Amino acid sequence: MDNSAGDHSAGTGVVAAGIRRSFGSVEAVRRMDFTAPAGEVTALIGPNGSGKTTLLLILASLLAPDAGSVRINGYDPVANPLEVRAGIGWMPDTLGTWGSLTAREILVTVAGLYGIERSVAGVRAAGLLETVHLTDFADKPARVFSRGQQQRLSLARALIHDPSVLLLDEPASGLDPGSRVDLRALLRRLADEGKTVVVSSHVLSELDEMVDGAVFVARGETVKTQSLADAGAQERWYSIRSLNTGSLLRQVDELRIPYRQRGGADRPEVQVRLAGETAAAQLLRSLVQADVAVTAFAPAGGALEETYMSLDADRR
Ligand SMILES: Nc1ncnc2c1ncn2[C@@H]1O[C@H](COP(=O)(O)OP(=O)(O)OP(=O)(O)O)[C@@H](O)[C@H]1O
């Protein structure tokens, strides 16, 4: 098979294997494998300096790997950078832009670089400014934009040529809560339309509600790949509150379920370690049957956070 021949319409997503990249003596990416299927939102998660931005730059064809193979909708970014760039929307963690141009001018100019006709570009720019709630700022120069407004303009810029693959580096950073909710909904919609969405972030609780799968990296290596369906089934802490903590503790003890106590005297909380959602449902049923007055029962943290912390614990 000729791997250099790709097809944007097929939308086969992103596949990277055995990626390595050093900067002098710094091995930014030592061994990373990464897959993001079309029609899904895939998170790239890892601590500061773990190599996320370096990997995203490689996927975006902006940096060549020292070793390994990358396919974006079937195209190799090193051999076919033009085809790859035509199909990719790239949102860097900070927007480098022309401060004296207005938001609308920036979008129309970038559209021109992608060969989009001016009249079409104007319509697309207006639509995207509306999508990211910047219509009121459309004709203001980018240099007066706040960090969050810049992020939203950067997102609109990444979408101007209707790419089939979106690579977003920390897109929620600097966004206010309302804009974060909008971003989540937008990325979900784009994935549902069949696009491949890759998002790196530190805000794990937000990713939980948005992503279909996650790739965890640390020290330049892929350490785990997880689908959100797996995440729900994993062993994790659940937090329980009751009108009578004493009877809750007696019941948990009787069932021989490992637990720990959290919260202060005024808001006591019992956390139990459970094998997954089925075990959680069973425990809740037995507590109610035993007349324990349960007022709250939920996972103690997000599924991705749980995985992240367990990987972090393994490292120590
Ligand atoms: N151009 C460069 N020259 C030298 N070292 C670099 C360069 N780019 C990245 N690095 C180093 O490579 C490592 C990985 O950096 P990278 O920016 O990919 O991490 P990251 O996971 O995106 O981090 P963060 O979460 O802080 O954004 C870091 O140790 C960084 O200092």
Side-chain angles (χ1 to χ4, degrees):
M1 191 179 108
D2 178 4
N3 273 336
S4 68
D7 175 5
H8 294 308
S9 59
T12 48
V14 174
V15 182
I19 304 298
R20 258 196 311 115
R21 170 73 204 213
S22 296
F23 298 101
S25 60
V26 180
E27 288 184 294
V29 173
R30 291 199 291 183
R31 199 191 59 223
M32 280 195 192
D33 300 315
F34 181 87
T35 302
E40 293 193 3
V41 181
T42 304
L44 178 60
I45 299 172
N48 289 138
S50 54
K52 301 182 298 296
T53 298
T54 306
L55 177 68
L56 287 175
L57 287 168
I58 290 171
L59 299 180
S61 83
L62 299 172
L63 188 68
D66 295 334
S69 79
V70 177
R71 292 293 178 274
I72 307 289
N73 283 345
Y75 289 107
D76 177 348
V78 176
N80 306 93
L82 292 182
E83 285 80 356
V84 166
R85 284 176 201 169
I88 276 188
W90 163 242
M91 179 177 170
D93 55 356
T94 41
L95 175 75
T97 190
W98 311 288
S100 58
L101 296 192
T102 67
R104 192 192 307 278
E105 285 167 345
I106 287 170
L107 294 184
V108 170
T109 306
V110 172
L113 299 177
Y114 283 107
I116 298 170
E117 200 193 306
R118 215 174 159 79
S119 59
V120 178
V123 175
R124 277 199 67 78
L128 283 168
L129 287 167
E130 177 98 45
T131 303
V132 299
H133 302 299
L134 280 180
T135 302
D136 291 349
F137 290 81
D139 300 308
K140 293 205 166 35
R143 69 168 178 278
V144 306
F145 281 30
S146 71
R147 163 100 175 117
Q149 289 165 340
Q150 282 181 23
Q151 283 294 89
R152 277 144 54 196
L153 176 57
S154 181
L155 179 62
R157 192 179 67 163
L159 291 168
I160 192 73
H161 55 304
D162 194 24
S164 58
V165 174
L166 269 174
L167 302 175
L168 314 172
D169 199 0
E170 297 280 351
S173 108
L175 294 186
D176 58 43
S179 303
R180 285 174 184 229
V181 171
D182 289 344
L183 175 72
R184 270 208 311 258
L186 176 62
L187 298 188
R188 196 61 261 164
R189 177 164 66 73
L190 293 168
D192 291 344
E193 286 170 8
K195 298 186 191 301
T196 307
V197 183
V198 177
V199 41
S200 88
S201 178
H202 293 296
V203 192
L204 300 182
S205 52
E206 264 168 21
L207 289 176
D208 256 334
E209 295 170 35
M210 180 168 75
V211 307
D212 302 290
V215 175
F216 292 83
V217 295
R219 296 170 319 258
E221 295 183 13
T222 307
V223 287
K224 190 176 172 83
T225 299
Q226 184 177 46
S227 83
L228 217 66
D230 297 345
Q234 75 188 349
E235 183 178 299
R236 61 198 292 197
W237 290 100
Y238 279 74
S239 153
I240 312 173
R241 287 211 167 90
S242 164
L243 292 179
N244 185 339
T245 305
S247 73
L248 168 61
L249 283 173
R250 269 193 301 284
Q251 198 60 29
V252 167
D253 223 15
E254 207 165 284
L255 293 166
R256 298 184 188 288
I257 293 171
Y259 69 88
R260 62 191 186 191
Q261 286 180 265
R262 289 287 187 272
D266 50 339
R267 250 178 100 68
E269 173 188 327
V270 176
Q271 292 191 353
V272 290
R273 189 79 183 159
L274 297 174
E277 286 172 341
T278 308
Q282 270 168 4
L283 173 61
L284 181 57
R285 196 179 315 118
S286 10
L287 290 176
V288 172
Q289 277 167 358
D291 255 348
V292 177
V294 175
T295 57
F297 190 114
L304 294 171
E305 186 176 277
E306 185 93 29
T307 306
Y308 186 90
M309 298 314 275
S310 70
L311 292 172
D312 209 40
D314 286 350
R315 274 189 324 157
R316 284 158 204 256

